[in-house]
């Protein structure tokens, strides 16, 4: 009667502390330049070495420029990237340096290299570590002090979260993507609706979803407060991982797959909470506020104050004042200034294929600044190999270099104050894409439609009847 979460958790328990947390063994630690320096300083101050450096992988991504990667002009960002490189050299950690073929956004590179595998416990000092749960791993974001714990002991102290299963049943409409599914769930659950839970995604929609789609869905789990988002590995998972650089090979692969096939919730498993949504209720989505749960169907309207619970009206008013929108307003046709395709949410090859399917044979709107940023050098090479770069160039777009880019204002790709961006990233917080910048979250198809028309556009009006 175990859930998938229970199975992975129980297999990694070192000891249960009476009236305290669990000591949990960690299989993989990812480290980037922003949250790791203090953790390494802790080890250095205490004279401790990294216990198992072969289980740690590090790379810069937040500060990495997307227009060139010869230098980082910002002194703070440059110092963080240099410090990460020096720490990795000192402590013997695998380091994928900026500009090398192995580099990219850490949550894109991990799965695509087969470093993230089913049944693993994975942590990183980054909230979107939940991404790796898509391969059937228990993946959680942790704090800097916890990073030091893992570096020094390969363990972490954690209280066991509760379990929740979210089922999405039915078939998605044309033009509806995994990003839309995630935005819909967040709007229904609210940004705190899964706080204290590990969420398992299940149902026919998940079984039919590609690995890229599953990675997008798991990536956004944190945005509704959950500790992690996990999907049971299946043939789609195995096909994605087979042949990856660090995945098992030969006989070891066959043995691994047999073990991974047991990683599923038992038929009689009981979850602390279970929720079911219908795919037919999900349309392409956009956000209108300053948290990812403040979203509507693309052809819907922003809630009015009268439709909003009294306790939430002040919050809604503040969000709309910042976004320069009105209660009850429909956003279709609203002009946009910037479009961003990328981030650990939607920086994979499937996302660029989707974007290209909309813009092929068309021209970019003159009023729009577009940043198209692959999530890794491998994704960028796939884009070139498939000729997608030519499609983009002919439509007036530039393919940039791998980076977190405009997901957050830590590199040169900042949206200016007051400008409106429609973005495939994961957060629309105040100033997230730049001080005073306004952000609408959407899928690659919706962002592509806006890039061509210059206004918020329903992507279903620009695609064929074939399911996206």
């Amino acid at each position: 009667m175990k859930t998938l979460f229970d199975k992975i958790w129980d297999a990694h328990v070192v000891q249960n502390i009476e009236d305290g947390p669990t000591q949990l063994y960690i299989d993989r630690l990812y480290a980037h330049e922003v949250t790791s320096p203090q953790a390494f300083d802790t080890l250095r101050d205490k004279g401790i070495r990294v216990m198992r450096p072969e289980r740690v992988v590090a790379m810069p991504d937040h500060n990495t420029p997307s227009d060139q990667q010869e230098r980082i002009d910002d002194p703070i960002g440059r110092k963080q990237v240099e410090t990460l490189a020096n720490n990795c050299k000192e402590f013997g950690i695998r380091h994928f340096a900026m500009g090398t073929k192995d580099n990219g956004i850490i949550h894109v590179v991990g799965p695509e290299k087969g470093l993230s595998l089913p049944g693993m416990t994975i942590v990183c000092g980054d909230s979107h570590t939940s991404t790796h749960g898509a391969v059937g791993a228990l993946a959680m974001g942790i704090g800097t002090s916890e990073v030091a714990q893992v570096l020094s002991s390969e363990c972490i102290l954690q209280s066991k979260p509760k379990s929740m299963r979210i089922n999405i049943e039915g078939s998605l409409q044309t033009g509806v993507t995994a990003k839309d599914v995630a935005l819909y769930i967040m709007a229904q659950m609210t940004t705190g609706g899964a706080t204290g839970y590990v969420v398992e995604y299940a149902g026919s929609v998940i079984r039919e979803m590609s690995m890229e789609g599953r990675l997008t869905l798991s990536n956004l789990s944190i945005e509704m407060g959950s500790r992690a988002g996990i999907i049971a590995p299946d043939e789609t998972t195995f096909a994605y991982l087979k042949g990856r650089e660090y995945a098992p090979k030969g006989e070891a692969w066959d043995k691994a797959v047999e073990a991974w096939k047991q990683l599923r919730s038992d038929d009689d498993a009981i979850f602390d909470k279970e929720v079911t949504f219908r795919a037919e209720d999900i349309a392409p989505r956009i956000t209108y506020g300053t948290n990812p749960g403040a979203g509507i169907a693309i052809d819907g309207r922003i809630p009015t104050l009268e439709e909003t619970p009294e306790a939430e009206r002040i919050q809604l008013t503040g969000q709309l004042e910042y976004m320069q929108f009105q209660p009850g307003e429909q956003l279709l046709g609203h002009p946009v200034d910037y479009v961003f395709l990328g981030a650990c949410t939607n920086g994979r090859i499937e996302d660029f294929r989707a974007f290209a399917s909309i813009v092929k044979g068309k021209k970019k709107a003159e009023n729009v600044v577009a940043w198209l940023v692959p999530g890794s050098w491998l994704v960028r090479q796939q884009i070139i190999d498939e000729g997608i770069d030519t499609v983009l160039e002919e439509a007036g777009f530039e393919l940039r270099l791998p980076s977190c880019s405009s997901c957050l204002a830590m590199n040169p790709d900042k949206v200016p104050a007051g400008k409106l961006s429609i973005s495939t990233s994961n957060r629309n917080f105040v100033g997230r894409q730049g001080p005073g910048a306004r952000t609408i979250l959407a899928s690659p198809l919706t962002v592509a439609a806006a890039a061509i028309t210059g206004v918020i556009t329903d992507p279903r009006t620009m695609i064929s009847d074939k399911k996206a």
Side-chain angles (χ1 to χ4, degrees):
M1 295 178 58
K2 285 188 174 185
T3 67
L4 170 57
F5 164 53
D6 289 331
K7 291 179 180 181
I8 299 175
W9 179 277
D10 292 349
H12 288 81
V13 171
V14 177
Q15 63 174 326
N16 290 303
I17 301 171
E18 187 176 353
D19 298 323
T22 299
Q23 184 183 15
L24 198 69
Y25 184 80
I26 300 301
D27 295 305
R28 177 78 67 209
L29 169 66
Y30 291 116
H32 57 62
E33 76 274 26
V34 179
T35 58
S36 65
Q38 298 91 334
F40 284 108
D41 285 343
T42 298
L43 268 62
R44 196 176 290 112
D45 292 344
K46 296 180 180 297
I48 301 172
R49 304 302 299 173
V50 175
M51 183 177 181
R52 291 182 175 165
E54 71 277 7
R55 292 182 177 268
V56 185
V57 178
M59 69 196 77
D61 52 14
H62 284 54
N63 290 286
T64 306
S66 71
D67 57 343
Q68 55 76 35
Q69 295 186 355
E70 300 299 319
R71 68 187 187 280
I72 296 175
D73 293 329
D74 176 67
I76 296 175
R78 183 170 64 250
K79 179 68 172 176
Q80 288 181 331
V81 171
E82 290 172 351
T83 300
L84 178 66
N86 292 335
N87 282 330
C88 288
K89 184 177 181 181
E90 178 181 348
F91 289 94
I93 289 171
R94 185 184 302 141
H95 177 238
F96 297 156
M98 184 177 80
T100 65
K101 68 177 181 61
D102 296 313
N103 184 252
I105 303 173
I106 205 162
H107 304 313
V108 174
V109 173
E112 75 178 10
K113 283 189 169 293
L115 287 161
S116 301
L117 297 172
M120 278 186 166
T121 49
I122 299 171
V123 294
C124 176
D126 186 285
S127 56
H128 293 105
T129 307
S130 56
T131 308
H132 307 266
V135 303
L138 176 58
M140 303 176 288
I142 57 175
T144 297
S145 62
E146 294 169 311
V147 172
Q149 284 180 25
V150 179
L151 287 171
S152 60
S153 69
E154 206 59 34
C155 293
I156 192 174
L157 296 175
Q158 286 280 295
S159 296
K160 186 177 181 180
K162 293 181 289 185
S163 62
M164 178 190 298
R165 181 159 59 190
I166 296 180
N167 306 292
I168 306 101
E169 302 289 358
S171 298
L172 296 177
Q173 304 173 37
T174 298
V176 177
T177 71
K179 181 65 166 289
D180 301 302
V181 172
L183 291 174
Y184 176 83
I185 293 172
M186 284 187 284
Q188 302 303 309
M189 298 287 296
T190 76
T191 51
T195 299
Y197 291 88
V198 165
V199 171
E200 179 180 342
Y201 298 102
S204 58
V205 169
I206 305 303
R207 290 192 294 273
E208 295 171 6
M209 195 175 279
S210 67
M211 273 307 302
E212 287 87 353
R214 295 177 185 185
L215 288 160
T216 294
L217 186 59
S218 293
N219 173 271
L220 288 159
S221 300
I222 190 67
E223 306 305 338
M224 56 183 178
S226 61
R227 196 72 186 88
I230 191 169
I231 296 171
D234 57 13
E235 293 302 325
T236 298
T237 319
F238 309 148
Y240 175 86
L241 291 172
K242 188 173 185 179
R244 299 283 176 176
E245 186 175 354
Y246 293 96
K249 304 291 191 299
E251 185 178 341
W253 169 261
D254 295 334
K255 290 182 178 178
V257 170
E258 285 307 306
W260 294 342
K261 286 180 179 178
Q262 309 308 310
L263 292 173
R264 56 183 296 275
S265 291
D266 295 333
D267 292 340
D268 55 356
I270 298 174
F271 291 80
D272 294 302
K273 186 174 183 179
E274 189 150 8
V275 183
T276 299
F277 298 110
R278 298 298 307 175
E280 292 78 8
D281 295 333
I282 306 174
R285 305 281 299 183
I286 52 174
T287 59
Y288 59 83
T290 55
N291 71 69
I296 53 175
I298 193 164
D299 55 357
R301 295 183 180 275
I302 297 172
T304 63
L305 293 178
E306 291 73 23
E307 295 168 337
T308 304
E310 188 172 355
E312 300 173 14
R313 290 176 187 175
I314 292 176
Q315 182 186 41
L316 175 62
T317 299
Q319 291 189 67
L320 296 184
E321 284 179 357
Y322 181 84
M323 291 298 294
Q324 300 176 27
F325 297 147
Q326 298 297 320
E329 181 180 0
Q330 187 176 44
L331 295 181
L332 274 178
H334 196 292
V336 300
D337 304 300
Y338 283 73
V339 300
F340 172 52
L341 172 65
C344 57
T345 314
N346 286 119
R348 299 175 182 82
I349 186 61
E350 181 179 275
D351 304 310
F352 279 81
R353 290 171 183 155
F355 188 97
S357 73
I358 293 286
V359 306
K360 185 175 184 179
K362 305 178 181 69
K363 290 294 182 183
K364 181 182 78 68
E366 292 184 2
N367 64 298
V368 166
V369 175
W371 290 323
L372 313 186
V373 187
S376 71
W377 283 93
L378 177 60
V379 172
R380 193 174 195 277
Q381 190 59 51
Q382 286 178 288
I383 291 167
I384 294 169
D385 291 345
E386 295 183 17
I388 294 173
D389 61 325
T390 302
V391 172
L392 299 176
E393 183 179 354
E394 290 176 350
F397 297 96
E398 173 195 1
L399 180 64
R400 295 170 79 90
L401 305 180
S403 164
C404 285
S405 183
S406 188
C407 179
L408 77 172
M410 289 189 67
N411 55 73
D413 296 349
K414 296 179 178 68
V415 176
K419 297 296 184 181
L420 182 64
S421 167
I422 185 165
S423 171
T424 65
S425 51
N426 41 51
R427 285 180 172 162
N428 53 345
F429 300 162
V430 171
R432 173 75 176 184
Q433 291 191 284
R438 301 179 293 141
T439 301
I440 288 174
L441 301 179
S443 76
L445 291 176
T446 301
V447 169
I452 293 299
T453 63
V455 300
I456 297 172
T457 301
D458 190 332
R460 293 173 294 189
T461 65
M462 300 180 70
I463 59 178
S464 68
D465 290 335
K466 187 170 66 174
K467 185 175 289 188

